[in-house]
Amino acid sequence: MLLTYQYKLKPTEAQAAVMEVWGERLRRHWNYALGERLDAFYRSRCQIDRCSIVAEPIGDIPKEVNYYTQASALKETKRLFPDYKGIYADCQQQNLMRLDRAWKRWRKPDRNGKRGGRPRFKKRSDICSFTFPRVNNPKAGAHLTGNVLQLSKIGEIELILHRPIPEGFVLKQATLVRKADGWYVSFSMADETVPEALPVERVKTACGIDVGLEKFLVTSEGEAVSMPQFFRQSQQRLARQQKKLARMQKGSENYKRQANEVARLHLHVSRQRREFHYQVAHWLCDLYDLISFEGLNIRGLARTRLAKSILDAAWGGFLQILQAVAVKRGKRTVEVNPRGTSIECCGCGERVKKTLSERVHRCGCGVVIDRDWNAGINIKVRGLRAVGLPLSGCGGLSAGMPVKQQLSLVSLRSSR
């Protein structure tokens, strides 16, 4: 399993200037290579007898453009633009590899038939990053010794080693990225200590989680995690800082300093949210061997009037973190169909339609519980069925006790 550890760098002013120049030149090279690919694509996407009657590019049909043709042209690029000789060669190749992966995600659907968006031209304000694909080997451009990172053509940079790299981990690559508060390095490393996934027959505890906006999530056991709303807490402060930015002369030094201040605030909110997601994910993995969740269309939900609250909760980011933490700890996760989890009764299976304002599930069979709790139980049942476990096991509903009596044994409580 590949893990990523990120550390803050402490470069000198000269080193920071060099890294910014590298990022700007690689950005321009990305834009040129993307333009070359798009030009070839639009000029050769249809047969000569089936051209559009509205508009079609004219001229010679270019040759096929891919990673190999563009990588072989790097020598010519350095001849025409000598400044590119100062950039480590592997970083330029990795820049083209990153574009090639983005291009393939757009052109080739995945196993679910979905495609990524079209690669975009990068602006100056985009994240500045570049990658050294090898670390600590004879042909590598990056060498880590203690808390000092030696980079080819840049020099030695001290880093804040806030947590040691575990013994036995093999460093694969180093990615340098510039954020609002400075430069960071992300080490990708192979972890051979990750346990294998827990066999299904050894699963002892299971739960289903229903994410929402009133509460961040509710488990099938009735435990609720409150919604922190990190963005809304910082919204007034962000509005003041952005108002100051809007009144400044664009491009001036004051404008740049204020833009950095706004970026720092957004970075702080992002880090708060990410830390919260990791805490909740570890809490769930401490308690349960199997965690079921809904496969939501978050992108579609984010187009509704609740978009700000949905994006502030960042369900997609949380579910990705939850799955990564579960893999690292040898636990299991399962995605289930979200259709009908909120309206189906967990006791009898009857569909009880409700509006969003109705927060209590009431069924004719006598079950009266919180709406999200009901959904969590349904998600858990679907997860157990998906992996082939009996519903009466893993803390599931007992076959001999009435559902209404079982639900009365658990009280909905807030754990946060």
Side-chain angles (χ1 to χ4, degrees), residues 289-307:
D289 297 331
L290 174 67
I291 304 168
S292 306
F293 60 90
E294 296 175 297
L296 298 172
N297 178 17
I298 300 174
R299 181 174 296 181
L301 292 172
R303 297 193 183 103
T304 65
R305 59 189 178 87
L306 300 174

Side-chain angles (χ1 to χ4, degrees), residues 97-109:
M97 286 183 183
R98 189 183 300 179
L99 172 60
D100 188 59
R101 289 192 293 268
W103 184 268
K104 288 179 178 177
R105 283 195 299 268
W106 176 47
R107 298 300 305 141
K108 298 179 181 179

Side-chain angles (χ1 to χ4, degrees), residues 72-280:
S72 63
L74 284 174
K75 188 175 181 179
E76 182 68 11
T77 300
K78 294 178 182 179
R79 188 186 68 82
L80 296 174
F81 305 96
D83 292 341
Y84 282 85
K85 294 180 180 179
I87 302 176
Y88 189 62
D90 282 358
C91 295
Q92 299 181 56
Q93 293 173 0
Q94 287 294 312
N95 194 41
L96 293 176
M97 286 183 183
R98 189 183 300 179
L99 172 60
D100 188 59
R101 289 192 293 268
W103 184 268
K104 288 179 178 177
R105 283 195 299 268
W106 176 47
R107 298 300 305 141
K108 298 179 181 179
D110 60 12
R111 59 185 179 182
N112 297 321
K114 297 182 179 180
R115 298 186 182 185
R118 195 191 80 174
R120 299 181 181 182
F121 293 100
K122 293 184 178 292
K123 303 181 295 183
R124 284 181 179 270
S125 58
D126 285 349
I127 294 176
C128 174
S129 65
F130 49 90
T131 300
F132 290 84
R134 292 172 289 187
V135 182
N136 287 355
N137 70 54
K139 295 184 178 181
H143 296 268
L144 179 64
T145 306
N147 66 333
V148 176
L149 181 63
Q150 173 72 39
L151 299 176
S152 177
K153 300 189 177 184
I154 295 178
E156 295 183 350
I157 303 178
E158 183 183 354
L159 57 86
I160 301 175
L161 206 67
H162 62 274
R163 59 175 174 176
I165 296 177
E167 295 183 4
F169 281 38
V170 180
L171 297 179
K172 294 295 185 180
Q173 68 179 24
T175 300
L176 277 73
V177 57
R178 186 188 64 196
K179 297 187 178 182
D181 60 344
W183 283 89
Y184 290 79
V185 59
S186 297
F187 291 111
S188 296
M189 57 192 76
D191 182 8
E192 306 297 339
T193 64
V194 174
E196 295 183 359
L198 190 69
V200 174
E201 58 272 11
R202 292 179 56 189
V203 173
K204 296 181 179 179
T205 56
C207 83
I209 58 173
D210 179 64
V211 295
L213 297 179
E214 185 180 14
K215 295 177 282 289
F216 180 70
L217 64 83
V218 177
T219 71
S220 56
E221 310 308 308
E223 296 165 312
V225 178
S226 60
M227 177 70 73
Q229 293 187 331
F230 294 114
F231 178 77
R232 289 189 182 274
Q233 291 175 6
S234 303
Q235 194 169 1
Q236 290 185 351
R237 186 179 176 190
L238 275 167
R240 288 195 299 268
Q241 298 298 329
Q242 289 172 333
K243 187 175 182 180
K244 289 174 63 178
L245 179 66
R247 292 174 173 176
M248 293 181 178
Q249 179 66 36
K250 193 170 184 178
S252 65
E253 290 300 318
N254 286 336
Y255 182 91
K256 293 177 182 177
R257 281 193 289 269
Q258 186 61 28
N260 182 259
E261 184 66 27
V262 173
R264 280 173 175 265
L265 284 174
H266 281 289
L267 185 63
H268 176 67
V269 172
S270 174
R271 286 171 173 168
Q272 283 182 305
R273 187 184 295 119
R274 186 175 179 85
E275 177 65 19
F276 169 74
H277 288 169
Y278 268 106
Q279 290 177 0
V280 176

Side-chain angles (χ1 to χ4, degrees), residues 23-84:
E24 173 61 18
R25 289 174 182 166
L26 291 173
R27 181 190 71 84
R28 294 180 182 181
H29 192 215
W30 165 288
N31 288 345
Y32 174 82
L34 176 58
E36 189 178 29
R37 283 174 177 261
L38 290 173
D39 183 64
F41 170 69
Y42 286 124
R43 288 181 181 275
S44 58
R45 64 176 177 172
C46 70
Q47 299 178 14
I48 193 169
D49 61 337
R50 300 173 191 176
C51 294
S52 169
I53 62 174
V54 178
E56 195 69 30
I58 61 174
D60 296 334
I61 297 177
K63 297 180 180 178
E64 181 184 4
V65 178
N66 53 38
Y67 165 74
Y68 300 101
T69 60
Q70 292 185 323
S72 63
L74 284 174
K75 188 175 181 179
E76 182 68 11
T77 300
K78 294 178 182 179
R79 188 186 68 82
L80 296 174
F81 305 96
D83 292 341
Y84 282 85

